[in-house]
Amino acid sequence: ETGVTQSPTHLIKTRGQQVTLRCSSQSGHNTVSWYQQALGQGPQFIFQYYREEENGRGNFPPRFSGLQFPNYSSELNVNALELDDSALYLCASSLQQGARETQYFGPGTRLLVL
Amino acid sequence: QKEVEQDPGPLSVPEGAIVSLNCTYSNSAFQYFMWYRQYSRKGPELLMYTYSSGNKEDGRFTAQVDKSSKYISLFIRDSQPSDSATYLCAMSARGNNRLAFGKGNQVVVIP
């Protein structure tokens, strides 16, 4: 087990709705990254938060936003859901120290948009 | 051209066989190379981590990186049914902790 938890495990929403996904990082990890994994694809980087500030963003529109809190928890918010947002959403926590950083993934939240 | 290419074709092997997986990449800045294993309905789990070119061995697993060819490989010796999973290659550049993943290979080890 990686010590990274995510909630909920599954979620069904309809197009146009908003959703909030939650992640609890390993204690002491100062960085959290979010990835979207469509069926049959590898994870795609959404963004990363380091010490509660956004620290890099992938090719995702602004309706994908996030927050990181001091208690090692974080959120991914998606507004105006589209059918293509259906995917497994993964968070990964890590400790940035020096050049090497190992990301530990949670089990993911499976989102279905109807 | 995608940054990371991994032929996603499923792979079925008999128990005890050697499994060979590979990825190619186009971004010369990548210096950190990883292999993750993902069981069904689970998050990816780090298997191997390699910095720059070379080989790394950990038990039945061997990771190889050839930066000159932009090619990485994972070998699994004496494969077991418990090795049945999807294997994802991932890489990142120095100073940029974004992981770029391949599509993944589904491996089935038949008892």
Side-chain angles (χ1 to χ4, degrees):
Chain A
E1 295 298 324
T2 62
V4 180
T5 59
Q6 291 186 244
S7 62
T9 55
H10 296 84
L11 201 54
I12 300 175
K13 291 284 189 178
T14 56
R15 195 170 45 183
Q17 284 189 310
Q18 178 267 341
V19 68
T20 297
L21 310 181
R22 294 179 172 82
C23 172
S24 180
S25 299
Q26 276 195 25
S27 179
H29 280 188
N30 54 16
T31 303
V32 65
S33 305
W34 286 90
Y35 294 81
Q36 180 196 66
Q37 186 176 22
L39 198 60
Q41 303 292 316
Q44 296 291 313
F45 176 75
I46 303 175
F47 44 56
Q48 182 182 84
Y49 278 78
Y50 170 66
R51 292 184 174 177
E52 301 160 48
E53 298 283 334
E54 190 176 291
N55 182 42
R57 189 178 184 92
N59 190 25
F60 280 81
R63 60 189 184 85
F64 285 78
S65 63
L67 287 170
Q68 184 187 23
F69 304 101
N71 65 349
Y72 309 116
S73 67
S74 58
E75 290 179 356
L76 165 65
N77 299 289
V78 187
N79 293 323
L81 283 167
E82 300 176 0
L83 298 180
D84 284 349
D85 295 333
S86 295
L88 180 67
Y89 288 86
L90 297 160
C91 76
S93 81
S94 55
L95 177 63
Q96 283 200 22
Q97 51 180 19
R100 174 173 173 157
E101 174 195 325
T102 300
Q103 297 191 18
Y104 297 92
F105 284 84
T109 293
R110 193 164 296 279
L111 173 65
L112 178 61
V113 182
L114 301 175
Chain B
Q1 183 184 13
K2 291 202 168 199
E3 269 191 313
V4 181
E5 298 276 4
Q6 182 178 10
D7 182 355
L11 191 62
S12 289
V13 299
E15 183 176 353
I18 295 175
V19 176
S20 173
L21 306 171
N22 58 76
C23 290
T24 58
Y25 63 95
S26 58
N27 188 343
S28 300
F30 288 148
Q31 293 196 16
Y32 304 98
F33 304 93
M34 291 138 272
W35 287 93
Y36 282 85
R37 177 174 63 194
Q38 186 173 25
Y39 290 113
S40 180
R41 303 190 178 279
K42 300 283 190 182
E45 165 198 13
L46 182 65
L47 267 182
M48 301 289 283
Y49 189 118
T50 309
Y51 169 66
S52 198
S53 284
N55 293 357
K56 183 174 182 179
E57 191 172 313
D58 184 359
R60 296 184 296 110
F61 299 90
T62 300
Q64 291 183 349
V65 174
D66 181 351
K67 288 192 71 181
S68 63
S69 302
K70 296 189 177 68
Y71 185 92
I72 70 170
S73 303
L74 177 71
F75 300 96
I76 308 173
R77 290 183 300 281
D78 187 25
S79 56
Q80 304 295 309
S82 59
D83 295 327
S84 298
T86 296
Y87 290 81
L88 297 153
C89 63
M91 43 201 83
S92 64
R94 179 182 288 271
N96 183 342
N97 297 313
R98 168 186 73 92
L99 293 180
F101 283 88
K103 280 189 175 183
N105 278 116
Q106 185 178 8
V107 173
V108 177
V109 181
I110 303 165

